[in-house]
Amino acid sequence: MMNANPLDGFTVDREAIAYIGRELQRPECILAERDGSLWAADARGGVTHIGADGSQRFIGQQADERFGAGTVADGAQAFEARLTQGTLPNGLAFAANGDILISNFGTDLLELMSRDGRTRTLHDRIDGQPIGKVNFVLRDSKDRIWLTVSTRMNPWTTAAASRVRDGFIAVVDGKGIHVVADGFYFTNEIRLDAREEWLYIVETTGPCISRMRLDENASGGVALRDREVYGPAHLGGYPDGIAFDAYGNLWCTLVMVDQLIAITPKGDKRMLLDDGDPEASRVLLEKMASGTVTAADMQRAHGSVAPWMASITFGGPDLRTAYLGSLLGTRIPFFRSPVAGLPMVHWNQSF
């Protein structure tokens, strides 16, 4: 670890933000490869691959044309339907062979898609019960697959409004799929630290980030223990996506209030970009706290850079290009970071 935090004095220069991609549909999660290409979740039922030269193509079994139109100006009912119904590829991860693991937030499935669009279901049930709202998927260096489920309530907007605490984390290993921790406030993205000693967990309606220590046992299994809040107990908005940089800062997007923050290794919060609508954010925070928030309140709260800012991904040859995923955007904003991102497990693999 370097002595001085490279984020000292850093904020994102809005004038330096550039964009890649066009007519994207719900690019919530983004994967970056060493060759400069990006893979973005696509609500039409798959992913969009964007080449280093900017060329792009949709890859999926079939396109869901319901997502070809519609904007944040839709009526509240139509707006909510677009976010809660149909296929909604959400979190993405590369499998060991380069196929794409997809947590489908609409169909409640963990899927595996080849790079030519052939898709199959890996898991749809845990302990004999439907999985629920599968949000994010992560592969570790031991080829285990970590899976978050935000809630078993449907639509998920009801769970978000009521701050229900039924989220959980599952792991897929040689023994199958099993729950390793539960009782979370709308479990969202997760990340492992550089040594894979701690799992960092976004609790969107917490609204906080917690972490748990990995406990490897003699039989080759893994458990989670020592749960604790990491950083502020209330982040001032609703955390969605996280990613570590090489220094150990945990970057985090706050969805709907549309802020990009970082939590330093000391647990301090840094504001890196504030793109939210102040009044809409204020109403959202107040109504979420009182349990009275509506889809219309959520719809009004967003910025313009990456509307409903949902994820942060590091890419580029030096891992210093930061990409922002979003739920309502149609393109991907990016900017230069003063520090490289922590390489994900796929970064040094060839597919």
Side-chain angles (χ1 to χ4, degrees), residues 199-223:
L199 184 72
Y200 291 74
I201 306 151
V202 170
E203 297 191 64
T204 296
T205 57
C208 63
I209 293 170
S210 56
R211 69 175 185 174
M212 299 184 74
R213 188 186 301 274
L214 271 66
D215 185 6
E216 309 276 356
N217 58 49
S219 62
V222 63

Side-chain angles (χ1 to χ4, degrees), residues 82-219:
R82 293 181 66 242
L83 296 171
T84 58
Q85 300 175 14
T87 179
L88 295 173
N90 208 66
L92 307 176
F94 287 120
N97 66 351
D99 287 348
I100 302 170
L101 294 157
I102 300 175
S103 52
N104 197 312
F105 200 61
T107 58
D108 301 353
L109 302 173
L110 175 61
E111 302 169 326
L112 183 67
M113 189 182 80
S114 66
R115 296 194 176 201
D116 62 4
R118 290 173 293 128
T119 306
R120 63 185 177 94
T121 298
L122 289 183
H123 295 282
D124 62 355
R125 305 179 78 82
I126 295 180
D127 298 330
Q129 299 296 318
I131 289 182
K133 287 297 155 189
V134 184
N135 190 304
F136 192 70
V137 61
L138 179 74
R139 182 170 64 92
D140 68 17
S141 64
K142 296 184 178 180
D143 208 29
R144 292 177 298 217
I145 299 171
W146 297 84
L147 188 70
T148 69
V149 176
S150 297
T151 180
R152 281 195 165 103
M153 294 183 70
N154 197 4
W156 63 262
T157 47
T158 301
S162 61
R163 295 189 71 232
V164 65
R165 198 176 181 182
D166 67 341
F168 62 89
I169 298 170
V171 68
V172 182
D173 55 21
K175 300 179 181 179
I177 184 169
H178 48 97
V179 176
V180 288
D182 58 13
F184 296 98
Y185 287 108
F186 208 86
T187 337
N188 210 306
E189 288 201 11
I190 50 176
R191 298 289 180 184
L192 291 159
D193 63 8
R195 296 183 179 181
E196 296 190 348
E197 295 177 337
W198 291 87
L199 184 72
Y200 291 74
I201 306 151
V202 170
E203 297 191 64
T204 296
T205 57
C208 63
I209 293 170
S210 56
R211 69 175 185 174
M212 299 184 74
R213 188 186 301 274
L214 271 66
D215 185 6
E216 309 276 356
N217 58 49
S219 62

Side-chain angles (χ1 to χ4, degrees), residues 303-322:
S304 59
V305 173
W308 278 25
M309 192 185 299
S311 67
I312 175 75
T313 300
F314 291 98
D318 58 0
L319 279 170
R320 287 183 56 192
T321 301

